[in-house]
Amino acid sequence: MNNTTRPFALVIHGGAGVIERDQLSTVEEASIRADLDAALEAGRRILAAGGSALDAVEAAVVALEESPRFNAGKGSVYNADGKHELDASIMEGQTRRAGAVAGVETIRNPVRLARAVMEQSPHVMMIGAGAERFADTQPQIERVANHWFDTGTRRAQLDQEQARERTEAGDEGLRGKYFGTVGAVALDSQGDLAAATSTGGMTNKRYGRVGDSPLIGAGTWADERCAVSGTGWGEFFIRNAVAHDIAARMAYGGDTLLAAAEAVIMRRVPELGGDGGAIAVDRDGNIAMPFSTAGMYRGWIATDGSRGTAIFLQGD
């Protein structure tokens, strides 16, 4: 069998915990599904042509970053100061190469800068002003003013969250809210795996807060067995090293991809008080998409060519 005819797989997510069924109009749902499908197509074209999983996940995430409907890139949420700070990471399974950026403010597509960190620097992660200075040396990285990320929907979410903060004590009001993140995982026709994740973080975040999305092993992981991208309450994904834990359960415990993903997302994270979801694919093309929130924007292309998008329960 020619390598370019071997089956490939692609899974994307547009965030978990941000959707309530009774608040999603038919028109908005159709728009979200269209954007998910466009991101799938961006990755599929690369994989169908025999391209790499790394190129495919980058392309899919860029497409999601360009949509105002997801909390990444154009649709990024506001921090407590009314600005946007964006995070992203990318990882190649066979080589374990990885790149990440956090707290960037002028990068139109943070996942592209994360890949530049991986390929054009000796480092894995750059943050804030340092990452912006590195971007100055990368002419292929498109820059925008911070207000380019402004949207009315995200401003309303900030106002709502700050109002809630003034009237509610503790963190329980955060459960299942404002956790939109985007990500992609892929298996290519060479049998290689890759993962990428991008986010605007948590609405009303402050004091330089960074979640799991740019942290290799927490929000993103890829090795020779599987690729994982997470979305949810970042503090709990960090504390549980969620993406790596899924891979480790396969490597050391012999779990299937689905068993490992469900153990971490559906049991381990909720046991400590968090919630969220993940997408994952293994070297055999098996797919997992568990989530413990009301819904998770997601889309997939399986090795048999079947394709779909979903928001709530499977196929719904």
Side-chain angles (χ1 to χ4, degrees), residues 52-56 58-59 89-90 92 97-101 110-121 134 140-141:
S52 71
L54 191 68
D55 286 344
E58 180 186 13
S89 60
I90 193 167
E92 184 177 61
R97 295 189 305 164
V101 294
V111 72
R112 285 183 168 154
L113 185 58
R115 183 165 180 179
V117 170
M118 180 181 79
E119 295 182 333
Q120 305 298 326
S121 86
F134 173 68
Q140 79 279 16
I141 301 299

mmCIF file with all atom_site columns, all heavy atoms in Angstrom, residues 52-56 58-59 89-90 92 97-101 110-121 134 140-141:
data_model
loop_
_atom_site.group_PDB
_atom_site.id
_atom_site.type_symbol
_atom_site.label_atom_id
_atom_site.label_alt_id
_atom_site.label_comp_id
_atom_site.label_asym_id
_atom_site.label_entity_id
_atom_site.label_seq_id
_atom_site.pdbx_PDB_ins_code
_atom_site.Cartn_x
_atom_site.Cartn_y
_atom_site.Cartn_z
_atom_site.occupancy
_atom_site.B_iso_or_equiv
_atom_site.pdbx_formal_charge
_atom_site.auth_seq_id
_atom_site.auth_comp_id
_atom_site.auth_asym_id
_atom_site.auth_atom_id
_atom_site.pdbx_PDB_model_num
ATOM 1   N N   . SER A 1 52  ? 1.507  16.418 6.348  1.00 0.00 ? 52  SER A N   1
ATOM 2   C CA  . SER A 1 52  ? 1.813  16.001 7.713  1.00 0.00 ? 52  SER A CA  1
ATOM 3   C C   . SER A 1 52  ? 0.702  16.339 8.697  1.00 0.00 ? 52  SER A C   1
ATOM 4   O O   . SER A 1 52  ? -0.057 17.300 8.496  1.00 0.00 ? 52  SER A O   1
ATOM 5   C CB  . SER A 1 52  ? 3.105  16.664 8.190  1.00 0.00 ? 52  SER A CB  1
ATOM 6   O OG  . SER A 1 52  ? 2.908  18.053 8.420  1.00 0.00 ? 52  SER A OG  1
ATOM 7   N N   . ALA A 1 53  ? 0.627  15.553 9.754  1.00 0.00 ? 53  ALA A N   1
ATOM 8   C CA  . ALA A 1 53  ? -0.310 15.834 10.837 1.00 0.00 ? 53  ALA A CA  1
ATOM 9   C C   . ALA A 1 53  ? -0.028 17.203 11.432 1.00 0.00 ? 53  ALA A C   1
ATOM 10  O O   . ALA A 1 53  ? -0.958 17.923 11.814 1.00 0.00 ? 53  ALA A O   1
ATOM 11  C CB  . ALA A 1 53  ? -0.208 14.754 11.911 1.00 0.00 ? 53  ALA A CB  1
ATOM 12  N N   . LEU A 1 54  ? 1.247  17.582 11.499 1.00 0.00 ? 54  LEU A N   1
ATOM 13  C CA  . LEU A 1 54  ? 1.622  18.883 12.064 1.00 0.00 ? 54  LEU A CA  1
ATOM 14  C C   . LEU A 1 54  ? 1.026  20.018 11.241 1.00 0.00 ? 54  LEU A C   1
ATOM 15  O O   . LEU A 1 54  ? 0.436  20.959 11.789 1.00 0.00 ? 54  LEU A O   1
ATOM 16  C CB  . LEU A 1 54  ? 3.143  19.005 12.137 1.00 0.00 ? 54  LEU A CB  1
ATOM 17  C CG  . LEU A 1 54  ? 3.682  20.188 12.932 1.00 0.00 ? 54  LEU A CG  1
ATOM 18  C CD1 . LEU A 1 54  ? 3.383  20.023 14.423 1.00 0.00 ? 54  LEU A CD1 1
ATOM 19  C CD2 . LEU A 1 54  ? 5.185  20.332 12.708 1.00 0.00 ? 54  LEU A CD2 1
ATOM 20  N N   . ASP A 1 55  ? 1.170  19.932 9.916  1.00 0.00 ? 55  ASP A N   1
ATOM 21  C CA  . ASP A 1 55  ? 0.590  20.964 9.056  1.00 0.00 ? 55  ASP A CA  1
ATOM 22  C C   . ASP A 1 55  ? -0.933 20.985 9.174  1.00 0.00 ? 55  ASP A C   1
ATOM 23  O O   . ASP A 1 55  ? -1.557 22.048 9.150  1.00 0.00 ? 55  ASP A O   1
ATOM 24  C CB  . ASP A 1 55  ? 0.978  20.716 7.597  1.00 0.00 ? 55  ASP A CB  1
ATOM 25  C CG  . ASP A 1 55  ? 2.426  21.066 7.293  1.00 0.00 ? 55  ASP A CG  1
ATOM 26  O OD1 . ASP A 1 55  ? 3.050  21.773 8.113  1.00 0.00 ? 55  ASP A OD1 1
ATOM 27  O OD2 . ASP A 1 55  ? 2.924  20.622 6.245  1.00 0.00 ? 55  ASP A OD2 1
ATOM 28  N N   . ALA A 1 56  ? -1.530 19.809 9.302  1.00 0.00 ? 56  ALA A N   1
ATOM 29  C CA  . ALA A 1 56  ? -2.990 19.722 9.360  1.00 0.00 ? 56  ALA A CA  1
ATOM 30  C C   . ALA A 1 56  ? -3.554 20.354 10.628 1.00 0.00 ? 56  ALA A C   1
ATOM 31  O O   . ALA A 1 56  ? -4.547 21.087 10.571 1.00 0.00 ? 56  ALA A O   1
ATOM 32  C CB  . ALA A 1 56  ? -3.431 18.264 9.255  1.00 0.00 ? 56  ALA A CB  1
ATOM 33  N N   . GLU A 1 58  ? -2.155 22.611 12.511 1.00 0.00 ? 58  GLU A N   1
ATOM 34  C CA  . GLU A 1 58  ? -1.938 24.055 12.453 1.00 0.00 ? 58  GLU A CA  1
ATOM 35  C C   . GLU A 1 58  ? -3.004 24.711 11.581 1.00 0.00 ? 58  GLU A C   1
ATOM 36  O O   . GLU A 1 58  ? -3.609 25.714 11.971 1.00 0.00 ? 58  GLU A O   1
ATOM 37  C CB  . GLU A 1 58  ? -0.551 24.386 11.908 1.00 0.00 ? 58  GLU A CB  1
ATOM 38  C CG  . GLU A 1 58  ? -0.297 25.890 11.825 1.00 0.00 ? 58  GLU A CG  1
ATOM 39  C CD  . GLU A 1 58  ? 1.019  26.244 11.158 1.00 0.00 ? 58  GLU A CD  1
ATOM 40  O OE1 . GLU A 1 58  ? 1.643  25.359 10.537 1.00 0.00 ? 58  GLU A OE1 1
ATOM 41  O OE2 . GLU A 1 58  ? 1.419  27.420 11.253 1.00 0.00 ? 58  GLU A OE2 1
ATOM 42  N N   . ALA A 1 59  ? -3.262 24.151 10.413 1.00 0.00 ? 59  ALA A N   1
ATOM 43  C CA  . ALA A 1 59  ? -4.251 24.734 9.505  1.00 0.00 ? 59  ALA A CA  1
ATOM 44  C C   . ALA A 1 59  ? -5.643 24.736 10.114 1.00 0.00 ? 59  ALA A C   1
ATOM 45  O O   . ALA A 1 59  ? -6.385 25.717 9.996  1.00 0.00 ? 59  ALA A O   1
ATOM 46  C CB  . ALA A 1 59  ? -4.250 23.966 8.185  1.00 0.00 ? 59  ALA A CB  1
ATOM 47  N N   . SER A 1 89  ? -0.245 26.306 21.795 1.00 0.00 ? 89  SER A N   1
ATOM 48  C CA  . SER A 1 89  ? 0.854  25.334 21.781 1.00 0.00 ? 89  SER A CA  1
ATOM 49  C C   . SER A 1 89  ? 0.640  24.347 20.651 1.00 0.00 ? 89  SER A C   1
ATOM 50  O O   . SER A 1 89  ? -0.474 24.174 20.149 1.00 0.00 ? 89  SER A O   1
ATOM 51  C CB  . SER A 1 89  ? 0.946  24.593 23.120 1.00 0.00 ? 89  SER A CB  1
ATOM 52  O OG  . SER A 1 89  ? -0.246 23.881 23.399 1.00 0.00 ? 89  SER A OG  1
ATOM 53  N N   . ILE A 1 90  ? 1.722  23.686 20.260 1.00 0.00 ? 90  ILE A N   1
ATOM 54  C CA  . ILE A 1 90  ? 1.688  22.686 19.199 1.00 0.00 ? 90  ILE A CA  1
ATOM 55  C C   . ILE A 1 90  ? 2.750  21.648 19.497 1.00 0.00 ? 90  ILE A C   1
ATOM 56  O O   . ILE A 1 90  ? 3.793  21.965 20.075 1.00 0.00 ? 90  ILE A O   1
ATOM 57  C CB  . ILE A 1 90  ? 1.910  23.352 17.818 1.00 0.00 ? 90  ILE A CB  1
ATOM 58  C CG1 . ILE A 1 90  ? 1.569  22.395 16.674 1.00 0.00 ? 90  ILE A CG1 1
ATOM 59  C CG2 . ILE A 1 90  ? 3.314  23.915 17.690 1.00 0.00 ? 90  ILE A CG2 1
ATOM 60  C CD1 . ILE A 1 90  ? 1.466  23.095 15.314 1.00 0.00 ? 90  ILE A CD1 1
ATOM 61  N N   . GLU A 1 92  ? 4.560  17.753 17.960 1.00 0.00 ? 92  GLU A N   1
ATOM 62  C CA  . GLU A 1 92  ? 4.724  16.704 16.962 1.00 0.00 ? 92  GLU A CA  1
ATOM 63  C C   . GLU A 1 92  ? 5.058  15.396 17.670 1.00 0.00 ? 92  GLU A C   1
ATOM 64  O O   . GLU A 1 92  ? 6.014  15.324 18.441 1.00 0.00 ? 92  GLU A O   1
ATOM 65  C CB  . GLU A 1 92  ? 5.848  17.094 15.998 1.00 0.00 ? 92  GLU A CB  1
ATOM 66  C CG  . GLU A 1 92  ? 6.068  16.146 14.847 1.00 0.00 ? 92  GLU A CG  1
ATOM 67  C CD  . GLU A 1 92  ? 7.155  16.661 13.929 1.00 0.00 ? 92  GLU A CD  1
ATOM 68  O OE1 . GLU A 1 92  ? 8.299  16.821 14.398 1.00 0.00 ? 92  GLU A OE1 1
ATOM 69  O OE2 . GLU A 1 92  ? 6.862  16.898 12.745 1.00 0.00 ? 92  GLU A OE2 1
ATOM 70  N N   . ARG A 1 97  ? 8.913  17.198 19.403 1.00 0.00 ? 97  ARG A N   1
ATOM 71  C CA  . ARG A 1 97  ? 9.164  18.640 19.320 1.00 0.00 ? 97  ARG A CA  1
ATOM 72  C C   . ARG A 1 97  ? 7.896  19.376 19.725 1.00 0.00 ? 97  ARG A C   1
ATOM 73  O O   . ARG A 1 97  ? 6.789  18.923 19.435 1.00 0.00 ? 97  ARG A O   1
ATOM 74  C CB  . ARG A 1 97  ? 9.554  19.055 17.903 1.00 0.00 ? 97  ARG A CB  1
ATOM 75  C CG  . ARG A 1 97  ? 10.857 18.510 17.397 1.00 0.00 ? 97  ARG A CG  1
ATOM 76  C CD  . ARG A 1 97  ? 11.240 19.173 16.078 1.00 0.00 ? 97  ARG A CD  1
ATOM 77  N NE  . ARG A 1 97  ? 10.179 19.039 15.078 1.00 0.00 ? 97  ARG A NE  1
ATOM 78  C CZ  . ARG A 1 97  ? 10.098 19.768 13.970 1.00 0.00 ? 97  ARG A CZ  1
ATOM 79  N NH1 . ARG A 1 97  ? 10.990 20.719 13.724 1.00 0.00 ? 97  ARG A NH1 1
ATOM 80  N NH2 . ARG A 1 97  ? 9.109  19.575 13.096 1.00 0.00 ? 97  ARG A NH2 1
ATOM 81  N N   . ALA A 1 98  ? 8.073  20.526 20.381 1.00 0.00 ? 98  ALA A N   1
ATOM 82  C CA  . ALA A 1 98  ? 6.915  21.295 20.830 1.00 0.00 ? 98  ALA A CA  1
ATOM 83  C C   . ALA A 1 98  ? 7.253  22.780 20.879 1.00 0.00 ? 98  ALA A C   1
ATOM 84  O O   . ALA A 1 98  ? 8.414  23.165 21.060 1.00 0.00 ? 98  ALA A O   1
ATOM 85  C CB  . ALA A 1 98  ? 6.462  20.820 22.205 1.00 0.00 ? 98  ALA A CB  1
ATOM 86  N N   . GLY A 1 99  ? 6.212  23.597 20.722 1.00 0.00 ? 99  GLY A N   1
ATOM 87  C CA  . GLY A 1 99  ? 6.372  25.034 20.841 1.00 0.00 ? 99  GLY A CA  1
ATOM 88  C C   . GLY A 1 99  ? 5.135  25.636 21.471 1.00 0.00 ? 99  GLY A C   1
ATOM 89  O O   . GLY A 1 99  ? 4.029  25.117 21.297 1.00 0.00 ? 99  GLY A O   1
ATOM 90  N N   . ALA A 1 100 ? 5.305  26.729 22.214 1.00 0.00 ? 100 ALA A N   1
ATOM 91  C CA  . ALA A 1 100 ? 4.176  27.349 22.897 1.00 0.00 ? 100 ALA A CA  1
ATOM 92  C C   . ALA A 1 100 ? 4.438  28.823 23.137 1.00 0.00 ? 100 ALA A C   1
ATOM 93  O O   . ALA A 1 100 ? 5.595  29.257 23.274 1.00 0.00 ? 100 ALA A O   1
ATOM 94  C CB  . ALA A 1 100 ? 3.921  26.649 24.228 1.00 0.00 ? 100 ALA A CB  1
ATOM 95  N N   . VAL A 1 101 ? 3.325  29.584 23.186 1.00 0.00 ? 101 VAL A N   1
ATOM 96  C CA  . VAL A 1 101 ? 3.391  31.000 23.564 1.00 0.00 ? 101 VAL A CA  1
ATOM 97  C C   . VAL A 1 101 ? 2.265  31.289 24.538 1.00 0.00 ? 101 VAL A C   1
ATOM 98  O O   . VAL A 1 101 ? 1.221  30.636 24.512 1.00 0.00 ? 101 VAL A O   1
ATOM 99  C CB  . VAL A 1 101 ? 3.282  31.933 22.338 1.00 0.00 ? 101 VAL A CB  1
ATOM 100 C CG1 . VAL A 1 101 ? 4.493  31.777 21.435 1.00 0.00 ? 101 VAL A CG1 1
ATOM 101 C CG2 . VAL A 1 101 ? 1.986  31.682 21.558 1.00 0.00 ? 101 VAL A CG2 1
ATOM 102 N N   . PRO A 1 110 ? -1.928 32.829 17.099 1.00 0.00 ? 110 PRO A N   1
ATOM 103 C CA  . PRO A 1 110 ? -0.910 32.384 18.054 1.00 0.00 ? 110 PRO A CA  1
ATOM 104 C C   . PRO A 1 110 ? -0.356 30.989 17.772 1.00 0.00 ? 110 PRO A C   1
ATOM 105 O O   . PRO A 1 110 ? 0.805  30.714 18.091 1.00 0.00 ? 110 PRO A O   1
ATOM 106 C CB  . PRO A 1 110 ? -1.650 32.430 19.396 1.00 0.00 ? 110 PRO A CB  1
ATOM 107 C CG  . PRO A 1 110 ? -2.679 33.492 19.201 1.00 0.00 ? 110 PRO A CG  1
ATOM 108 C CD  . PRO A 1 110 ? -3.134 33.343 17.788 1.00 0.00 ? 110 PRO A CD  1
ATOM 109 N N   . VAL A 1 111 ? -1.158 30.092 17.182 1.00 0.00 ? 111 VAL A N   1
ATOM 110 C CA  . VAL A 1 111 ? -0.641 28.752 16.914 1.00 0.00 ? 111 VAL A CA  1
ATOM 111 C C   . VAL A 1 111 ? 0.516  28.811 15.919 1.00 0.00 ? 111 VAL A C   1
ATOM 112 O O   . VAL A 1 111 ? 1.451  27.987 15.998 1.00 0.00 ? 111 VAL A O   1
ATOM 113 C CB  . VAL A 1 111 ? -1.758 27.817 16.423 1.00 0.00 ? 111 VAL A CB  1
ATOM 114 C CG1 . VAL A 1 111 ? -2.203 28.155 15.010 1.00 0.00 ? 111 VAL A CG1 1
ATOM 115 C CG2 . VAL A 1 111 ? -1.319 26.357 16.512 1.00 0.00 ? 111 VAL A CG2 1
ATOM 116 N N   . ARG A 1 112 ? 0.496  29.773 15.017 1.00 0.00 ? 112 ARG A N   1
ATOM 117 C CA  . ARG A 1 112 ? 1.602  29.919 14.072 1.00 0.00 ? 112 ARG A CA  1
ATOM 118 C C   . ARG A 1 112 ? 2.874  30.376 14.775 1.00 0.00 ? 112 ARG A C   1
ATOM 119 O O   . ARG A 1 112 ? 3.984  29.934 14.448 1.00 0.00 ? 112 ARG A O   1
ATOM 120 C CB  . ARG A 1 112 ? 1.220  30.899 12.961 1.00 0.00 ? 112 ARG A CB  1
ATOM 121 C CG  . ARG A 1 112 ? 0.262  30.296 11.949 1.00 0.00 ? 112 ARG A CG  1
ATOM 122 C CD  . ARG A 1 112 ? -0.049 31.245 10.820 1.00 0.00 ? 112 ARG A CD  1
ATOM 123 N NE  . ARG A 1 112 ? -0.742 30.533 9.729  1.00 0.00 ? 112 ARG A NE  1
ATOM 124 C CZ  . ARG A 1 112 ? -1.556 31.098 8.860  1.00 0.00 ? 112 ARG A CZ  1
ATOM 125 N NH1 . ARG A 1 112 ? -1.798 32.406 8.949  1.00 0.00 ? 112 ARG A NH1 1
ATOM 126 N NH2 . ARG A 1 112 ? -2.129 30.385 7.913  1.00 0.00 ? 112 ARG A NH2 1
ATOM 127 N N   . LEU A 1 113 ? 2.726  31.246 15.766 1.00 0.00 ? 113 LEU A N   1
ATOM 128 C CA  . LEU A 1 113 ? 3.891  31.676 16.523 1.00 0.00 ? 113 LEU A CA  1
ATOM 129 C C   . LEU A 1 113 ? 4.419  30.528 17.381 1.00 0.00 ? 113 LEU A C   1
ATOM 130 O O   . LEU A 1 113 ? 5.629  30.358 17.534 1.00 0.00 ? 113 LEU A O   1
ATOM 131 C CB  . LEU A 1 113 ? 3.563  32.886 17.389 1.00 0.00 ? 113 LEU A CB  1
ATOM 132 C CG  . LEU A 1 113 ? 4.745  33.503 18.133 1.00 0.00 ? 113 LEU A CG  1
ATOM 133 C CD1 . LEU A 1 113 ? 5.842  33.941 17.165 1.00 0.00 ? 113 LEU A CD1 1
ATOM 134 C CD2 . LEU A 1 113 ? 4.293  34.676 18.989 1.00 0.00 ? 113 LEU A CD2 1
ATOM 135 N N   . ALA A 1 114 ? 3.508  29.717 17.938 1.00 0.00 ? 114 ALA A N   1
ATOM 136 C CA  . ALA A 1 114 ? 3.939  28.548 18.707 1.00 0.00 ? 114 ALA A CA  1
ATOM 137 C C   . ALA A 1 114 ? 4.777  27.618 17.842 1.00 0.00 ? 114 ALA A C   1
ATOM 138 O O   . ALA A 1 114 ? 5.819  27.099 18.276 1.00 0.00 ? 114 ALA A O   1
ATOM 139 C CB  . ALA A 1 114 ? 2.726  27.809 19.266 1.00 0.00 ? 114 ALA A CB  1
ATOM 140 N N   . ARG A 1 115 ? 4.353  27.410 16.599 1.00 0.00 ? 115 ARG A N   1
ATOM 141 C CA  . ARG A 1 115 ? 5.147  26.558 15.704 1.00 0.00 ? 115 ARG A CA  1
ATOM 142 C C   . ARG A 1 115 ? 6.491  27.198 15.384 1.00 0.00 ? 115 ARG A C   1
ATOM 143 O O   . ARG A 1 115 ? 7.514  26.506 15.277 1.00 0.00 ? 115 ARG A O   1
ATOM 144 C CB  . ARG A 1 115 ? 4.374  26.262 14.424 1.00 0.00 ? 115 ARG A CB  1
ATOM 145 C CG  . ARG A 1 115 ? 5.146  25.326 13.509 1.00 0.00 ? 115 ARG A CG  1
ATOM 146 C CD  . ARG A 1 115 ? 4.310  24.723 12.423 1.00 0.00 ? 115 ARG A CD  1
ATOM 147 N NE  . ARG A 1 115 ? 5.106  23.834 11.588 1.00 0.00 ? 115 ARG A NE  1
ATOM 148 C CZ  . ARG A 1 115 ? 4.626  23.148 10.550 1.00 0.00 ? 115 ARG A CZ  1
ATOM 149 N NH1 . ARG A 1 115 ? 3.337  23.229 10.249 1.00 0.00 ? 115 ARG A NH1 1
ATOM 150 N NH2 . ARG A 1 115 ? 5.418  22.370 9.831  1.00 0.00 ? 115 ARG A NH2 1
ATOM 151 N N   . ALA A 1 116 ? 6.516  28.519 15.238 1.00 0.00 ? 116 ALA A N   1
ATOM 152 C CA  . ALA A 1 116 ? 7.792  29.202 14.994 1.00 0.00 ? 116 ALA A CA  1
ATOM 153 C C   . ALA A 1 116 ? 8.732  29.030 16.178 1.00 0.00 ? 116 ALA A C   1
ATOM 154 O O   . ALA A 1 116 ? 9.947  28.847 15.996 1.00 0.00 ? 116 ALA A O   1
ATOM 155 C CB  . ALA A 1 116 ? 7.541  30.686 14.708 1.00 0.00 ? 116 ALA A CB  1
ATOM 156 N N   . VAL A 1 117 ? 8.208  29.095 17.386 1.00 0.00 ? 117 VAL A N   1
ATOM 157 C CA  . VAL A 1 117 ? 9.044  28.844 18.570 1.00 0.00 ? 117 VAL A CA  1
ATOM 158 C C   . VAL A 1 117 ? 9.647  27.441 18.489 1.00 0.00 ? 117 VAL A C   1
ATOM 159 O O   . VAL A 1 117 ? 10.833 27.231 18.773 1.00 0.00 ? 117 VAL A O   1
ATOM 160 C CB  . VAL A 1 117 ? 8.218  29.003 19.863 1.00 0.00 ? 117 VAL A CB  1
ATOM 161 C CG1 . VAL A 1 117 ? 9.009  28.514 21.081 1.00 0.00 ? 117 VAL A CG1 1
ATOM 162 C CG2 . VAL A 1 117 ? 7.808  30.460 20.062 1.00 0.00 ? 117 VAL A CG2 1
ATOM 163 N N   . MET A 1 118 ? 8.841  26.473 18.086 1.00 0.00 ? 118 MET A N   1
ATOM 164 C CA  . MET A 1 118 ? 9.306  25.094 17.976 1.00 0.00 ? 118 MET A CA  1
ATOM 165 C C   . MET A 1 118 ? 10.394 24.943 16.915 1.00 0.00 ? 118 MET A C   1
ATOM 166 O O   . MET A 1 118 ? 11.402 24.261 17.138 1.00 0.00 ? 118 MET A O   1
ATOM 167 C CB  . MET A 1 118 ? 8.128  24.179 17.635 1.00 0.00 ? 118 MET A CB  1
ATOM 168 C CG  . MET A 1 118 ? 8.487  22.715 17.484 1.00 0.00 ? 118 MET A CG  1
ATOM 169 S SD  . MET A 1 118 ? 7.056  21.677 17.060 1.00 0.00 ? 118 MET A SD  1
ATOM 170 C CE  . MET A 1 118 ? 6.930  22.008 15.298 1.00 0.00 ? 118 MET A CE  1
ATOM 171 N N   . GLU A 1 119 ? 10.211 25.597 15.766 1.00 0.00 ? 119 GLU A N   1
ATOM 172 C CA  . GLU A 1 119 ? 11.087 25.350 14.624 1.00 0.00 ? 119 GLU A CA  1
ATOM 173 C C   . GLU A 1 119 ? 12.195 26.383 14.443 1.00 0.00 ? 119 GLU A C   1
ATOM 174 O O   . GLU A 1 119 ? 13.228 26.065 13.835 1.00 0.00 ? 119 GLU A O   1
ATOM 175 C CB  . GLU A 1 119 ? 10.244 25.294 13.347 1.00 0.00 ? 119 GLU A CB  1
ATOM 176 C CG  . GLU A 1 119 ? 9.276  24.124 13.319 1.00 0.00 ? 119 GLU A CG  1
ATOM 177 C CD  . GLU A 1 119 ? 8.478  24.023 12.039 1.00 0.00 ? 119 GLU A CD  1
ATOM 178 O OE1 . GLU A 1 119 ? 8.255  25.085 11.389 1.00 0.00 ? 119 GLU A OE1 1
ATOM 179 O OE2 . GLU A 1 119 ? 8.089  22.906 11.679 1.00 0.00 ? 119 GLU A OE2 1
ATOM 180 N N   . GLN A 1 120 ? 11.992 27.587 14.961 1.00 0.00 ? 120 GLN A N   1
ATOM 181 C CA  . GLN A 1 120 ? 12.944 28.658 14.698 1.00 0.00 ? 120 GLN A CA  1
ATOM 182 C C   . GLN A 1 120 ? 13.675 29.147 15.942 1.00 0.00 ? 120 GLN A C   1
ATOM 183 O O   . GLN A 1 120 ? 14.379 30.160 15.885 1.00 0.00 ? 120 GLN A O   1
ATOM 184 C CB  . GLN A 1 120 ? 12.222 29.845 14.039 1.00 0.00 ? 120 GLN A CB  1
ATOM 185 C CG  . GLN A 1 120 ? 11.457 29.497 12.790 1.00 0.00 ? 120 GLN A CG  1
ATOM 186 C CD  . GLN A 1 120 ? 12.340 28.963 11.682 1.00 0.00 ? 120 GLN A CD  1
ATOM 187 O OE1 . GLN A 1 120 ? 13.489 29.373 11.529 1.00 0.00 ? 120 GLN A OE1 1
ATOM 188 N NE2 . GLN A 1 120 ? 11.814 28.018 10.900 1.00 0.00 ? 120 GLN A NE2 1
ATOM 189 N N   . SER A 1 121 ? 13.497 28.448 17.056 1.00 0.00 ? 121 SER A N   1
ATOM 190 C CA  . SER A 1 121 ? 14.193 28.817 18.285 1.00 0.00 ? 121 SER A CA  1
ATOM 191 C C   . SER A 1 121 ? 14.648 27.554 19.001 1.00 0.00 ? 121 SER A C   1
ATOM 192 O O   . SER A 1 121 ? 14.151 26.462 18.707 1.00 0.00 ? 121 SER A O   1
ATOM 193 C CB  . SER A 1 121 ? 13.279 29.644 19.208 1.00 0.00 ? 121 SER A CB  1
ATOM 194 O OG  . SER A 1 121 ? 12.491 28.789 20.025 1.00 0.00 ? 121 SER A OG  1
ATOM 195 N N   . PHE A 1 134 ? 10.215 37.982 19.907 1.00 0.00 ? 134 PHE A N   1
ATOM 196 C CA  . PHE A 1 134 ? 10.555 36.884 19.002 1.00 0.00 ? 134 PHE A CA  1
ATOM 197 C C   . PHE A 1 134 ? 9.738  36.994 17.721 1.00 0.00 ? 134 PHE A C   1
ATOM 198 O O   . PHE A 1 134 ? 10.258 36.775 16.615 1.00 0.00 ? 134 PHE A O   1
ATOM 199 C CB  . PHE A 1 134 ? 10.306 35.540 19.678 1.00 0.00 ? 134 PHE A CB  1
ATOM 200 C CG  . PHE A 1 134 ? 10.477 34.362 18.766 1.00 0.00 ? 134 PHE A CG  1
ATOM 201 C CD1 . PHE A 1 134 ? 11.734 34.016 18.282 1.00 0.00 ? 134 PHE A CD1 1
ATOM 202 C CD2 . PHE A 1 134 ? 9.382  33.612 18.377 1.00 0.00 ? 134 PHE A CD2 1
ATOM 203 C CE1 . PHE A 1 134 ? 11.896 32.931 17.419 1.00 0.00 ? 134 PHE A CE1 1
ATOM 204 C CE2 . PHE A 1 134 ? 9.527  32.524 17.517 1.00 0.00 ? 134 PHE A CE2 1
ATOM 205 C CZ  . PHE A 1 134 ? 10.799 32.182 17.040 1.00 0.00 ? 134 PHE A CZ  1
ATOM 206 N N   . GLN A 1 140 ? 6.822  36.102 8.784  1.00 0.00 ? 140 GLN A N   1
ATOM 207 C CA  . GLN A 1 140 ? 5.618  35.381 8.350  1.00 0.00 ? 140 GLN A CA  1
ATOM 208 C C   . GLN A 1 140 ? 4.491  35.467 9.361  1.00 0.00 ? 140 GLN A C   1
ATOM 209 O O   . GLN A 1 140 ? 3.343  35.085 9.068  1.00 0.00 ? 140 GLN A O   1
ATOM 210 C CB  . GLN A 1 140 ? 5.958  33.906 8.086  1.00 0.00 ? 140 GLN A CB  1
ATOM 211 C CG  . GLN A 1 140 ? 6.077  33.032 9.325  1.00 0.00 ? 140 GLN A CG  1
ATOM 212 C CD  . GLN A 1 140 ? 7.419  33.137 10.046 1.00 0.00 ? 140 GLN A CD  1
ATOM 213 O OE1 . GLN A 1 140 ? 8.184  34.066 9.806  1.00 0.00 ? 140 GLN A OE1 1
ATOM 214 N NE2 . GLN A 1 140 ? 7.717  32.180 10.909 1.00 0.00 ? 140 GLN A NE2 1
ATOM 215 N N   . ILE A 1 141 ? 4.774  35.969 10.563 1.00 0.00 ? 141 ILE A N   1
ATOM 216 C CA  . ILE A 1 141 ? 3.766  36.054 11.623 1.00 0.00 ? 141 ILE A CA  1
ATOM 217 C C   . ILE A 1 141 ? 2.991  37.367 11.493 1.00 0.00 ? 141 ILE A C   1
ATOM 218 O O   . ILE A 1 141 ? 3.561  38.452 11.614 1.00 0.00 ? 141 ILE A O   1
ATOM 219 C CB  . ILE A 1 141 ? 4.407  35.954 13.014 1.00 0.00 ? 141 ILE A CB  1
ATOM 220 C CG1 . ILE A 1 141 ? 5.167  34.628 13.164 1.00 0.00 ? 141 ILE A CG1 1
ATOM 221 C CG2 . ILE A 1 141 ? 3.350  36.109 14.099 1.00 0.00 ? 141 ILE A CG2 1
ATOM 222 C CD1 . ILE A 1 141 ? 4.306  33.390 13.034 1.00 0.00 ? 141 ILE A CD1 1
#
